[in-house]
Amino acid sequence: MSAPDEDDLRQRVGRLSLEQKVRLLTGADFWSLYPEPAVGLRAIVVSDGPAGVRGQTWDERDTSANVPSPTALAATWDTGRVEAIGRLLAHEARRMGVDVLLAPTVNLHRTPYAGRHFECYSEDPLLTAQIGAAYVRGLQRSGVGACVKHFVANDSETQRMTVDVRVDDRTLHELYLAPFEVIVREAGAWSVMAAYNAVNGSTMTASPLLRDILHDEWDYDGLVVSDWTAARSTEADANAALDLAMPGPASMFGPWGDALLAAVAAGEVAEPLIDDKVLRILRLAARVGALADAPGHPLTPYRQQEIASELRGAAAASFVLARNDGLLPLGRPGRVAVIGPNAEVARTLGGGSATVYPPYTVSPLDGLREAGLDVAFTPGARSHLRTGAARAPWLLRPDGSGPGAEVRLYAASGELAGSERRDGAAFQWMGGFGAHRPPESIARLEVRCAIRATGAGTYRIGVSGLGRYRLMADGAEVFDATLSMPPDADIAEILVTPPQRLAPLELAAGQSVSVLVEHDVQSSPLAALGTFLELDLDPPHGTDDEEIEAAVSLAAASDVAVVVVGTTAQVESEGFDRTSLALPGRQDELVRRVAQANPRTVAVVNSGAPVLLPWAADVAAVLLTWFGGQELGHALADVLLGDAEPGGRLPTTWPADEEGLPSTQPVDGVLTYGEGLFIGYRGYDRDNRRPLFPFGHGTGYTTWSYDSIAVPVDLAGAPVAVTVRNTGTRRGREVVQLYASRPGSAVQRPVKWLVGFAAVDADPGAAVTAVIQVPERALQHWTERGWVLEPGTFVLAAGPSAASLPLSAEVAVG
Ligand code: BGC
């Protein structure tokens, strides 16, 4: 069966009444669109994205592959690898019944404070565009739609629903729109998500940019979806090019439904505009195989083993070896002290809608143990700022199996409406408690489990959530408390860091207590949206001083110390921005003390975004591993031991301190991008400041010489060729980067900017040529008259990072 053509799709639109058409323009629920049997349309299902496919539930039993965070993918500078990840995600999506993945996130790293920094690729628009386009090709060539988000200038979280970003037209085009343009025009994205924020006075769901840029400038024929609850005006959003308001139904969310019908009847919204929106939905349906007479091709899910090896390779290829005085690779070390809070619990994800539930995660500690090393562990410090969900080995189901809990759901009549056997202690039911159980149908729920003490001491036990909770231990009430909504908090922030109540519980070693949490579901002010609750547990631990001393003693008695420091999903998340780039808790002190005790210390930094590393020069090696996905620990062992090369190069500048970084804080609701074009390395160059690690930086396990550069006379017709030689002793991979500059330009420009890159592999002693095609747009700049190429001479410089460009050549244009 061939896909229906445009005429066919238009005829289908013509068969629908206005009521049928308008119904299609708001979601049916949180994650699906309405079906329309009259035109053979089944319900299209969407899901977040981008570090995996969460599916339609927030439930640890509904697992999917957790790929390295987007910043990690960009750090590979490897479009082939990222396309393969997109393909893997398409197979995961199909397995989970998902047609459109709400990804990639291609906002820029304007500032490292941004809460969703981990979810975006890079500070550079060209790298973002090429990595994003590869991800989209991987998904869509397998028949799963991408939804490129968040259009546009949604580069931080503070006041994200209302902030008005003021950005000049040139900066908007050259930086923030640029990745969207490449992904829409060249990778042909099937949908785009309109952001919450406003740009230059217009809320993005109603912004003229949707029509002027997407439709008119880029000839976009795909669907524009609102971010969740971003659509807030009936006529303005309809008359702008917003096509679909999410989530639904219209009786609960969004400004359309009957109000849009009335607006059409009153002549405020023209019916042909409605037809165009429906046509775009049908076009998407045809593409993802949601039309009965043109179903898509089924995909066979990947086997767990295939996923594991793909993700292990991708993680290793993303790790950036920022500093190495020769300690790495370790080869076969003797006793290894594994230290640090992030060694024991794998931090593979940032917080918010990018959360997925992986089938397993491999922590750094597990990875190093499995590699057969003689490992001893102590946490040394804490990276979490709040007590997290109860987990193994303390958490057991009431029947003693574990880890897990039993949940019982009760209707207002007191009747048992359902029960769940869960594998963890964090619960989120968004938009209802599963099929046929809407949010209002459940009045009360109970969580039952056991907590078993490993050692004697004070356990702090409690609950996070909203509304009234009663916590019982062995039948005795621990507390009965109402947790209320913090003022002005963003919904995502509440979901990631809800109010919490804890109480001490003294337990003997081996003692078990039965725990019951009762929750009055409708007492939460957000009950209509969803219910969320976490049973929290902080097991006994030494004082911070004691923990650090234990780490120092262990390091001193070991051959090598691997200190894994970092952040958590509660520190880096959707819904809020960071206000400090320092590592949480006393982790800096921990690294310093361990490095003093053992000069053979490797610091492994497990964070999604840059953190300050004031001790970087005091340790023998610094390895940046991002939120590395479910195979993090295996990949870490591969890289530390030298079985794999650390393949990553920084997709974003790593600052030495917090000076001069753009702010995320609006003033009177306005966030001015006053730095203009000068974000990331462009800003450091302009101010002649040195970061800790420059953009593009990272070393592998071999060395390279940059031998020659050949620039064609006509850049449009042929690529730039850069020849490099492996001067080390092992095979390796080099990311050859090409930057342009324009001495004596008539317009203000960055000192240099990335215009292309290519990765090459070579054996020791071998020379290899990197072939880099410079896109036409790369030398142009935006003016009131559109894109312009300033005639004259540009300089093209090649090297291993923005701070090291040994080769250059001139090219005359115009
Ligand atoms: C986020 C989007 C996400 C959507 C659905 C919003 O809060 O900004 O990125 O796709 O929720 O979860």
Side-chain angles (χ1 to χ4, degrees), residues 30-31 46-50 54 58 102-103 105 116 119 147 149-150 154 157 160-161 193 195-196 226-229 352-354 490-492 574:
F30 245 76
W31 308 114
V46 305
S47 161
D48 293 304
R54 191 178 56 250
W58 295 73
L102 303 174
T105 309
R116 297 180 87 165
E119 210 186 307
C147 183
K149 64 192 189 183
H150 310 81
N154 182 187
E157 294 295 279
R160 66 175 177 156
M161 304 291 280
M193 188 184 289
Y196 291 124
S226 73
D227 198 344
W228 268 230
T229 72
S353 62
D490 183 275
I491 172 99
E574 177 176 334

CSV table of all heavy atoms in Angstrom, one decimal, residues 30-31 46-50 54 58 102-103 105 116 119 147 149-150 154 157 160-161 193 195-196 226-229 352-354 490-492 574, ligand 1:
chain,number,residue,atom,x,y,z
A,30,PHE,N,-3.4,13.0,27.8
A,30,PHE,CA,-2.0,13.6,28.0
A,30,PHE,C,-1.1,13.3,26.8
A,30,PHE,O,-0.3,14.1,26.4
A,30,PHE,CB,-1.4,13.0,29.3
A,30,PHE,CG,-1.2,14.0,30.3
A,30,PHE,CD1,-2.2,14.6,31.0
A,30,PHE,CD2,0.1,14.5,30.5
A,30,PHE,CE1,-2.0,15.6,31.9
A,30,PHE,CE2,0.3,15.5,31.4
A,30,PHE,CZ,-0.7,16.1,32.1
A,31,TRP,N,-1.2,12.1,26.3
A,31,TRP,CA,-0.2,11.6,25.3
A,31,TRP,C,-0.8,11.2,24.0
A,31,TRP,O,0.0,10.7,23.1
A,31,TRP,CB,0.7,10.5,25.9
A,31,TRP,CG,1.2,10.8,27.2
A,31,TRP,CD1,0.9,10.2,28.4
A,31,TRP,CD2,2.2,11.9,27.5
A,31,TRP,NE1,1.6,10.8,29.4
A,31,TRP,CE2,2.4,11.8,28.9
A,31,TRP,CE3,2.9,12.8,26.7
A,31,TRP,CZ2,3.3,12.7,29.6
A,31,TRP,CZ3,3.7,13.7,27.4
A,31,TRP,CH2,3.9,13.6,28.8
A,46,VAL,N,2.2,10.2,21.4
A,46,VAL,CA,3.4,10.9,21.5
A,46,VAL,C,4.0,10.6,22.9
A,46,VAL,O,3.3,10.2,23.8
A,46,VAL,CB,3.3,12.4,21.3
A,46,VAL,CG1,2.6,12.7,20.0
A,46,VAL,CG2,2.5,13.0,22.5
A,47,SER,N,5.3,10.8,23.0
A,47,SER,CA,6.0,10.5,24.3
A,47,SER,C,7.3,11.3,24.4
A,47,SER,O,8.0,11.4,23.4
A,47,SER,CB,6.3,9.0,24.4
A,47,SER,OG,7.3,8.8,25.4
A,48,ASP,N,7.7,11.7,25.6
A,48,ASP,CA,9.0,12.2,25.8
A,48,ASP,C,10.0,11.0,25.8
A,48,ASP,O,9.7,9.9,26.1
A,48,ASP,CB,9.1,12.9,27.2
A,48,ASP,CG,8.3,14.1,27.3
A,48,ASP,OD1,8.4,15.0,26.5
A,48,ASP,OD2,7.4,14.1,28.2
A,49,GLY,N,11.2,11.2,25.3
A,49,GLY,CA,12.1,12.2,24.9
A,49,GLY,C,12.8,13.1,25.9
A,49,GLY,O,12.4,13.2,26.9
A,50,PRO,N,14.1,13.4,25.5
A,50,PRO,CA,15.0,12.8,24.4
A,50,PRO,C,15.9,11.7,24.8
A,50,PRO,O,16.6,11.1,23.9
A,50,PRO,CB,15.7,14.0,23.9
A,50,PRO,CG,15.7,15.0,25.0
A,50,PRO,CD,14.7,14.6,26.0
A,54,ARG,N,9.7,7.4,27.2
A,54,ARG,CA,9.1,7.1,28.4
A,54,ARG,C,7.8,6.3,28.2
A,54,ARG,O,7.4,5.5,29.1
A,54,ARG,CB,8.8,8.3,29.3
A,54,ARG,CG,8.4,8.0,30.7
A,54,ARG,CD,8.2,9.2,31.6
A,54,ARG,NE,7.2,10.1,31.0
A,54,ARG,CZ,7.5,11.3,30.5
A,54,ARG,NH1,8.7,11.7,30.5
A,54,ARG,NH2,6.6,12.0,29.9
A,58,TRP,N,4.3,7.1,33.8
A,58,TRP,CA,5.5,7.3,34.6
A,58,TRP,C,5.7,6.2,35.6
A,58,TRP,O,5.2,6.3,36.7
A,58,TRP,CB,5.4,8.6,35.4
A,58,TRP,CG,5.3,9.9,34.6
A,58,TRP,CD1,4.2,10.3,33.8
A,58,TRP,CD2,6.3,10.9,34.4
A,58,TRP,NE1,4.5,11.5,33.2
A,58,TRP,CE2,5.7,11.9,33.6
A,58,TRP,CE3,7.6,11.1,34.9
A,58,TRP,CZ2,6.4,13.0,33.2
A,58,TRP,CZ3,8.3,12.2,34.5
A,58,TRP,CH2,7.7,13.2,33.7
A,102,LEU,N,9.0,13.2,21.5
A,102,LEU,CA,9.0,14.6,21.8
A,102,LEU,C,10.5,15.0,22.0
A,102,LEU,O,11.0,15.3,23.1
A,102,LEU,CB,8.2,15.0,23.0
A,102,LEU,CG,6.7,14.6,22.8
A,102,LEU,CD1,5.9,14.8,24.1
A,102,LEU,CD2,6.0,15.3,21.7
A,103,ALA,N,11.2,15.0,20.9
A,103,ALA,CA,12.7,15.2,20.9
A,103,ALA,C,13.1,15.4,19.4
A,103,ALA,O,12.4,15.0,18.5
A,103,ALA,CB,13.4,14.0,21.5
A,105,THR,N,15.7,18.2,21.8
A,105,THR,CA,15.7,19.5,22.4
A,105,THR,C,16.9,20.2,21.8
A,105,THR,O,18.0,19.8,22.0
A,105,THR,CB,15.8,19.4,23.9
A,105,THR,OG1,14.8,18.5,24.4
A,105,THR,CG2,15.6,20.8,24.5
A,116,ARG,N,17.7,22.9,32.0
A,116,ARG,CA,17.7,21.8,31.0
A,116,ARG,C,18.9,21.7,30.1
A,116,ARG,O,18.8,21.2,29.0
A,116,ARG,CB,16.4,22.0,30.2
A,116,ARG,CG,15.1,21.9,31.0
A,116,ARG,CD,13.9,22.1,30.1
A,116,ARG,NE,13.4,20.8,29.5
A,116,ARG,CZ,12.2,20.6,29.0
A,116,ARG,NH1,11.4,21.6,28.9
A,116,ARG,NH2,11.9,19.5,28.5
A,119,GLU,N,19.7,18.6,28.6
A,119,GLU,CA,18.8,18.1,27.6
A,119,GLU,C,19.1,18.7,26.3
A,119,GLU,O,18.4,18.3,25.3
A,119,GLU,CB,17.4,18.4,28.1
A,119,GLU,CG,16.3,17.5,27.7
A,119,GLU,CD,14.9,18.0,28.1
A,119,GLU,OE1,14.7,18.3,29.3
A,119,GLU,OE2,14.1,18.1,27.2
A,147,CYS,N,9.8,15.5,17.2
A,147,CYS,CA,9.2,16.8,17.5
A,147,CYS,C,10.3,17.7,18.0
A,147,CYS,O,10.7,17.5,19.2
A,147,CYS,CB,8.0,16.6,18.5
A,147,CYS,SG,7.2,18.1,18.9
A,149,LYS,N,12.1,20.6,19.6
A,149,LYS,CA,11.6,21.6,20.6
A,149,LYS,C,12.8,22.4,21.2
A,149,LYS,O,13.9,21.9,21.1
A,149,LYS,CB,10.8,20.8,21.7
A,149,LYS,CG,11.6,19.8,22.5
A,149,LYS,CD,10.7,18.9,23.3
A,149,LYS,CE,11.5,18.1,24.3
A,149,LYS,NZ,10.6,17.1,25.1
A,150,HIS,N,12.5,23.5,21.9
A,150,HIS,CA,11.2,24.2,22.0
A,150,HIS,C,11.4,25.5,21.3
A,150,HIS,O,12.3,26.3,21.6
A,150,HIS,CB,10.9,24.5,23.5
A,150,HIS,CG,11.1,23.2,24.4
A,150,HIS,ND1,12.3,22.8,24.9
A,150,HIS,CD2,10.1,22.4,24.9
A,150,HIS,CE1,12.1,21.7,25.6
A,150,HIS,NE2,10.8,21.4,25.6
A,154,ASN,N,13.9,29.1,24.2
A,154,ASN,CA,13.5,28.5,25.5
A,154,ASN,C,14.8,27.9,26.1
A,154,ASN,O,15.0,26.7,26.2
A,154,ASN,CB,12.5,27.5,25.3
A,154,ASN,CG,12.0,26.8,26.5
A,154,ASN,OD1,11.2,25.8,26.5
A,154,ASN,ND2,12.4,27.3,27.7
A,157,GLU,N,14.9,28.2,32.4
A,157,GLU,CA,13.6,27.7,33.0
A,157,GLU,C,12.9,28.7,33.9
A,157,GLU,O,11.7,28.6,34.1
A,157,GLU,CB,13.9,26.5,33.9
A,157,GLU,CG,14.3,25.3,33.0
A,157,GLU,CD,13.2,24.8,32.1
A,157,GLU,OE1,12.3,24.1,32.5
A,157,GLU,OE2,13.3,25.2,30.9
A,160,ARG,N,9.4,30.2,33.1
A,160,ARG,CA,9.4,29.7,31.7
A,160,ARG,C,8.1,29.8,31.0
A,160,ARG,O,8.0,29.9,29.8
A,160,ARG,CB,9.9,28.3,31.7
A,160,ARG,CG,9.0,27.3,32.3
A,160,ARG,CD,9.5,25.9,32.1
A,160,ARG,NE,8.7,24.9,32.8
A,160,ARG,CZ,8.5,23.6,32.4
A,160,ARG,NH1,9.2,23.2,31.4
A,160,ARG,NH2,7.8,22.8,33.1
A,161,MET,N,7.0,29.8,31.8
A,161,MET,CA,5.7,29.9,31.2
A,161,MET,C,5.4,31.3,30.7
A,161,MET,O,4.6,31.5,29.8
A,161,MET,CB,4.5,29.6,32.1
A,161,MET,CG,4.7,28.2,32.8
A,161,MET,SD,4.4,26.9,31.6
A,161,MET,CE,2.7,26.8,31.5
A,193,MET,N,7.7,21.7,18.3
A,193,MET,CA,7.0,22.1,19.5
A,193,MET,C,7.2,23.6,19.8
A,193,MET,O,8.3,24.1,19.9
A,193,MET,CB,7.4,21.3,20.7
A,193,MET,CG,6.6,21.5,22.0
A,193,MET,SD,7.2,20.7,23.4
A,193,MET,CE,6.9,19.0,23.0
A,195,ALA,N,7.2,26.7,22.1
A,195,ALA,CA,7.6,26.8,23.5
A,195,ALA,C,6.6,27.6,24.4
A,195,ALA,O,5.7,28.2,23.9
A,195,ALA,CB,9.0,27.6,23.6
A,196,TYR,N,6.8,27.6,25.7
A,196,TYR,CA,6.0,28.3,26.6
A,196,TYR,C,6.3,29.8,26.6
A,196,TYR,O,5.3,30.6,26.8
A,196,TYR,CB,6.4,27.9,28.1
A,196,TYR,CG,6.0,26.5,28.5
A,196,TYR,CD1,6.9,25.6,29.0
A,196,TYR,CD2,4.7,26.1,28.4
A,196,TYR,CE1,6.6,24.3,29.4
A,196,TYR,CE2,4.3,24.8,28.8
A,196,TYR,CZ,5.3,23.9,29.3
A,196,TYR,OH,4.9,22.6,29.7
A,226,SER,N,1.8,22.5,20.6
A,226,SER,CA,2.1,23.4,21.7
A,226,SER,C,2.9,22.6,22.7
A,226,SER,O,2.7,21.4,22.9
A,226,SER,CB,0.8,23.9,22.4
A,226,SER,OG,0.2,22.9,23.1
A,227,ASP,N,3.8,23.2,23.5
A,227,ASP,CA,4.3,22.6,24.7
A,227,ASP,C,3.1,22.3,25.6
A,227,ASP,O,2.0,23.0,25.4
A,227,ASP,CB,5.4,23.4,25.4
A,227,ASP,CG,6.3,22.5,26.3
A,227,ASP,OD1,5.8,21.4,26.6
A,227,ASP,OD2,7.4,23.0,26.7
A,228,TRP,N,3.3,21.4,26.6
A,228,TRP,CA,2.1,21.0,27.4
A,228,TRP,C,1.5,22.2,28.2
A,228,TRP,O,2.2,22.7,29.1
A,228,TRP,CB,2.6,19.8,28.2
A,228,TRP,CG,2.3,18.5,27.6
A,228,TRP,CD1,1.6,17.4,28.1
A,228,TRP,CD2,2.6,18.1,26.2
A,228,TRP,NE1,1.5,16.4,27.2
A,228,TRP,CE2,2.1,16.8,26.0
A,228,TRP,CE3,3.2,18.7,25.1
A,228,TRP,CZ2,2.3,16.1,24.8
A,228,TRP,CZ3,3.4,18.0,23.9
A,228,TRP,CH2,2.9,16.7,23.8
A,229,THR,N,0.3,22.5,27.9
A,229,THR,CA,-0.4,23.6,28.5
A,229,THR,C,0.1,25.0,28.0
A,229,THR,O,-0.3,26.0,28.6
A,229,THR,CB,-0.5,23.6,30.0
A,229,THR,OG1,0.8,23.9,30.5
A,229,THR,CG2,-1.0,22.3,30.6
A,352,GLY,N,12.8,16.0,35.3
A,352,GLY,CA,11.7,16.6,34.5
A,352,GLY,C,11.2,15.6,33.4
A,352,GLY,O,11.3,14.4,33.6
A,353,SER,N,10.6,16.2,32.4
A,353,SER,CA,9.9,15.4,31.4
A,353,SER,C,10.9,14.5,30.6
A,353,SER,O,10.4,13.5,29.9
A,353,SER,CB,9.2,16.3,30.4
A,353,SER,OG,10.1,17.1,29.7
A,354,ALA,N,12.2,14.7,30.7
A,354,ALA,CA,13.1,13.8,30.0
A,354,ALA,C,13.4,12.5,30.8
A,354,ALA,O,14.2,11.7,30.4
A,354,ALA,CB,14.5,14.5,29.8
A,490,ASP,N,7.1,26.1,39.6
A,490,ASP,CA,6.7,25.6,38.4
A,490,ASP,C,6.3,24.1,38.6
A,490,ASP,O,6.8,23.5,39.5
A,490,ASP,CB,7.9,25.6,37.4
A,490,ASP,CG,7.6,25.1,36.0
A,490,ASP,OD1,7.6,23.9,35.8
A,490,ASP,OD2,7.3,25.9,35.2
A,491,ILE,N,5.3,23.7,37.8
A,491,ILE,CA,4.8,22.3,38.0
A,491,ILE,C,5.9,21.3,37.9
A,491,ILE,O,6.0,20.3,38.7
A,491,ILE,CB,3.6,22.0,37.1
A,491,ILE,CG1,3.2,20.6,37.1
A,491,ILE,CG2,3.9,22.4,35.7
A,491,ILE,CD1,2.0,20.4,37.9
A,492,ALA,N,6.8,21.5,37.0
A,492,ALA,CA,7.9,20.5,36.8
A,492,ALA,C,8.8,20.5,38.0
A,492,ALA,O,9.3,19.5,38.5
A,492,ALA,CB,8.7,20.8,35.6
A,574,GLU,N,14.5,20.2,34.5
A,574,GLU,CA,13.4,21.1,34.0
A,574,GLU,C,12.7,21.7,35.2
A,574,GLU,O,12.6,21.2,36.3
A,574,GLU,CB,12.4,20.2,33.3
A,574,GLU,CG,11.2,20.9,32.7
A,574,GLU,CD,10.3,20.0,31.9
A,574,GLU,OE1,10.8,18.9,31.4
A,574,GLU,OE2,9.1,20.3,31.8
B,1,BGC,C1,8.2,20.1,28.5
B,1,BGC,C2,8.3,19.4,27.2
B,1,BGC,C3,7.7,18.0,27.2
B,1,BGC,C4,6.3,18.2,27.7
B,1,BGC,C5,5.5,16.9,27.8
B,1,BGC,C6,6.8,20.1,29.1
B,1,BGC,O1,6.8,20.5,30.4
B,1,BGC,O2,8.7,21.4,28.4
B,1,BGC,O3,9.7,19.3,26.8
B,1,BGC,O4,7.8,17.4,26.0
B,1,BGC,O5,6.3,18.8,29.0
B,1,BGC,O6,6.0,16.2,28.9
